[in-house]
């Protein structure tokens, strides 16, 4: 797999515009489709051309991807990044990496996705249709047991993490994720 955005501060690097051709290499055309589009759309012009050539040769992608926009709020600054994070949290298979992000990332969306992936939690949708997509629904990381979830929630509460209230709710309503 190419760039893993939940590791090594890669997401902050990419969001700040530091994107290289290596980031797009060895990705999966289907599973990393949103990330590929984001990388190409946000790369500098010389890098974008190189990435498009690579994408055409390796992935069979020949058109520049269009930037995603929230049709209900075209000025929504989180829309495009939200779907990159949602796609990529599903690709992250290391629970320890997700725990670190959930507990210590300064990026709220990234931390929320990591928390939800570890617990199976899903935030209630907003009553505003333009933002009702922001539930951070991403399923649960395969292999997470009920005890793993309880242990993680207790750690979030103990460390007074940003999702401590949600962790308390998870503990009150927890069911076995394998049922």
């Amino acid at each position: 797999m190419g760039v893993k955005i939940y590791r090594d501060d890669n997401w902050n690097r990419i969001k700040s515009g530091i994107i290289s051709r290596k980031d797009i290499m060895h990705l999966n055309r289907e599973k990393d489709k949103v990330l590929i589009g984001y990388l190409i759309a946000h790369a500098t012009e010389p890098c974008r051309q190189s990435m498009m050539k690579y994408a055409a040769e390796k992935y069979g992608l020949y058109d520049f991807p269009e930037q995603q926009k929230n049709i209900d709020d075209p000025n929504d600054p989180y829309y495009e990044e939200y779907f990159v994070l949602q796609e990529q949290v599903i690709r992250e298979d290391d629970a320890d990496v997700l725990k670190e992000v959930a507990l210590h990332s300064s990026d709220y969306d990234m931390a929320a996705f990591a928390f939800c992936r570890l617990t199976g939690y899903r935030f209630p949708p907003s009553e505003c249709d333009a933002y009702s997509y922001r539930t951070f629904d991403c399923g649960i990381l395969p292999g997470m047991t009920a005890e793993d979830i309880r242990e993680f929630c207790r750690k979030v509460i103990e460390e007074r993490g940003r999702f401590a209230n949600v962790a308390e709710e998870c503990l009150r309503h927890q069911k076995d994720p394998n049922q």
Side-chain angles (χ1 to χ4, degrees), residues 12-123:
N12 287 329
R13 173 182 59 81
I14 289 168
K15 277 182 25 176
S16 68
I18 303 171
I19 299 171
S20 75
R21 185 169 180 249
K22 287 187 336 184
D23 292 330
I24 201 170
M25 298 173 122
H26 310 294
L27 295 175
N28 181 296
R29 177 186 174 161
E30 297 304 318
K31 293 179 181 177
D32 299 311
K33 187 176 186 175
V34 179
L35 176 61
I36 292 169
Y38 185 91
L39 291 169
I40 291 171
H42 293 276
T44 59
E45 193 53 42
C47 184
R48 179 179 304 141
Q49 293 301 324
S50 177
M51 291 171 94
M52 282 303 299
K53 182 178 179 188
Y54 183 86
E57 291 171 3
K58 299 295 182 185
Y59 305 131
L61 301 173
Y62 297 96
D63 296 319
F64 283 97
E66 289 185 34
Q67 283 186 269
Q68 293 182 319
K69 296 279 185 201
N70 183 341
I71 59 172
D72 295 318
D73 179 4
N75 296 318
D76 181 352
Y78 306 109
Y79 191 79
E80 185 179 32
E81 292 175 4
Y82 176 90
F83 290 102
V84 172
L85 291 172
Q86 183 180 49
E87 173 189 74
Q88 293 302 301
V89 76
I90 293 168
R91 299 280 282 143
E92 182 55 64
D93 57 2
D94 189 325
D96 291 332
V97 167
L98 293 173
K99 287 174 185 175
E100 178 65 25
V101 170
L103 289 166
H104 302 113
S105 177
S106 61
D107 186 299
Y108 178 86
D109 286 0
M110 189 174 211
F113 270 120
F115 179 87
C116 289
R117 188 71 172 154
L118 292 165
T119 62
Y121 187 79
R122 179 180 186 264
F123 288 87

Side-chain angles (χ1 to χ4, degrees), residues 101-154:
V101 170
L103 289 166
H104 302 113
S105 177
S106 61
D107 186 299
Y108 178 86
D109 286 0
M110 189 174 211
F113 270 120
F115 179 87
C116 289
R117 188 71 172 154
L118 292 165
T119 62
Y121 187 79
R122 179 180 186 264
F123 288 87
S126 167
E127 290 184 23
C128 173
D129 286 342
Y131 307 109
S132 62
Y133 70 92
R134 294 179 60 79
T135 63
F136 300 93
D137 185 15
C138 55
I140 194 159
L141 182 68
M144 288 296 289
T145 65
E147 183 53 37
D148 293 336
I149 295 169
R150 282 190 294 273
E151 182 181 313
F152 175 65
C153 286
R154 286 190 292 266

